[in-house]
Amino acid sequence: MNHRRDRCVLCAVASPRSNFFLGTRPAAFVSSYDRGLSAQSSTMHTLVFLSTRQVLQCQPAACQALPLLPRELFPLLFKVAFMDKKTAVLRELVHTWPFPLLSFQQLLQECAHCSRALLQERLSTESMQAVILGLTARIHAREAEAGTQPVCRKHTLRVLDMTGLLDDGVEQDPGTMSMWDCTAAVARTCIAQQQVGTAKPGLSPVPVEIRVDLRVNRASYTFLREALQSSVDSLLRLCCRDLRAEDLPMRNTVALLQLLDAGCLRRIDLRFNNLGLRGLSVIIPHVARFQHLASLRLHYVHGDSRQPSVDGEDNFRYFLAQMGRFICLRELSIGSSLLSGRLDQLLSTLQRPLESLELAFCALLPEDLRFLAQSSHAAHLKKLDLSGNDLSGNQLTPFQGLLQAVAATLLHLELTECQIADAQLLATLPTLTRCASLRYLGLYGNPLSMAGLKELLRDSVIQAELRTVVHPFPVDCYEGLPWPPPASVLLEASINEEKFARVEAELHQLLLASGRAHVLWTTDIYGRLAADYFNL
C-alpha cells in the first residue's frame, strides 16, 4: 500500500463535496468492494466509508499509515475497523486516539456514512478485546514516557465510554461478548494494571476513566470488587454508569455500593436478591447516597412473614424515608412486591414526578390505581408496566381512569398476564386509543380471542406511532381450555399450530389492508427487548 496515495484518497473523499453514495462510485471501485459487503450489500454507504474500508484491507500497512491520516477520519476508521474485525488496526487506533473522549455510543451508532448501528447488535469478542488491548498498550506507553519527558495533555485520551452495549439477555455465541463478559474483561484489565504498579507522583501520565455498565453475580463479585478497589489510585479509573446485581448477598451488595463513584451512577438494578423489607432497609441508605440516581429497580419489597408486624412496619417507614432523599429519580421499578393499598405511601415520598413506573405482580388494588391516576406522576409517565395485576372486575374502571390520565405522555404500556379478556379489552379500547403517542403495547398472557385481537387491530389504526404489539395466542387456538383460564395455562398449554398459522395470516392481511404493515404484531415475548427508559 502506498501510504501517501491512501492518505490523498481519504483526504479527498473527506471533503463535503465528495460525499457521494454507493450508486455513483466508479465501476472498478464497486467490483473491488462488493465481494466483502455480504449481508450489508443493500446498505447505502458513502464514498468516504468505502474508501476507509479499502484502506483497512491490509492491516499492517494501515497501521503504519495512521500517523499520516487526518485526525478527523479516526471516528470512521474506528467504526469500520470494529465492524470488519480489523483487530490490529482497532488496537492501534485506541493506542493513538487523538481525542479526549472515545465513546462507543458516538462511534458505533448509525451515521451519515453507514446506517449500521453496531450498538444494537451483539458485539464482536475480537473487536472488544482489541479495544482493551489498545488501551493497555496506551497506558504502558504513557507510563514509559512519563519518567523521561513532560506529558502532553492536549490530545490525551481521558475517557473511554463503553456504556450502552446490547444486553438482550440471550445466550451468547462464542464470537460475541455479553455484558457479563465485558464486565469481566474490563475488571481484569483494571486489576492487571494495578498489579503492574502506578507511576510515581509528579511523573504520572493522565489517568483514563473507563465508563461501563457493570453486571455482577456471586461468581463475578470477588474480582469486580477487587477491580473497583484497585482502580481508585490506578491509571485506569473504573466508573460505573448502570449497576445490575443478580442473586447477590446483602453484605456483598453493600460492599459494592460503597466502592462506586456517587457522581457517575445513574441506575441501580437489584434482581433476584429476595431482600424483603428487612434486607432493603439495610441497603437503601447506601443507595440513597447516589444523589444523581435516575433509575432504581428493586424486587420483592415486602415484609417477611416470620417477622413481627411491628418490625415490618418500621422497616417500611424507614424505606419510605430513604426514598424521599432521591432528587433526580425518574424511573422506579418495584416488581413482585406486596404493595396492596400502599402505593400512595410509596409514591408520595418522592420529590419529583416519575416518567417510568413498573409495578409488575404487586397485587394492586382499585385504590392504588385511583391514587396513581390522580397523582402528579400520571401526567409525566412515558412507561407503565402493570403486568401480573388483575385488571378485570372492580379494577377495570380505575384502570381506565389511569389510562385516561397518562394518555398524553404514554409511550410504552405493558399489561402481560392481567386477566384481560375480550369484554375488558373492548370496554377499554376507547380510552386506550386516546394514547396517541403509544409505541409499544404488551398484552401477552391474557385470555383474548381472535375476535378481540381483530377489534384491537382495527381500532389501533389511529395510533400513528404504534410500532409493536405483543399479543397472546388467541384462546381459539387452544383445545379444551378451562374458563376463565389461569395465566399458567395460557403460558404452558399446547396450541393448535394449524389454527394459529391461520390467525397469523389473517392478522397480517388486516395490517396490509389498513396500511400498517410496518407495525409488528408478535407473540414472541422473549424476542423483544424491554424498552429502556433512557432510550424512550
Side-chain angles (χ1 to χ4, degrees), residues 470-484:
V470 179
H471 63 87
F473 293 99
V475 292
D476 319 60
C477 297
Y478 293 87
E479 303 289 349
L481 196 65
W483 198 264

Side-chain angles (χ1 to χ4, degrees), residues 227-278:
L228 288 167
Q229 290 173 332
S230 65
S231 73
V232 174
D233 299 316
S234 173
L235 294 177
L236 295 181
R237 307 282 174 81
L238 199 56
C239 183
C240 176
R241 185 189 68 159
D242 295 351
L243 173 71
R244 191 173 90 195
E246 293 190 5
D247 192 27
L248 205 61
M250 179 174 58
R251 65 181 183 279
N252 293 353
T253 303
V254 170
L256 281 183
L257 292 174
Q258 291 174 332
L259 291 171
L260 296 178
D261 184 348
C264 186
L265 199 67
R266 71 168 189 177
R267 168 178 283 161
I268 293 177
D269 186 349
L270 304 181
R271 302 188 179 191
F272 315 122
N273 297 299
N274 200 14
L275 296 168
L277 279 172
R278 183 180 180 183

Side-chain angles (χ1 to χ4, degrees), residues 33 63 143 166 200 243 262-263 305 307 336 378 397 421 436 471 524 531:
Y33 243 22
C63 289
E143 283 183 306
L166 178 66
K200 296 179 181 180
L243 173 71
S305 60
Q307 295 184 81
S336 302
T397 299
H471 63 87
D524 187 4

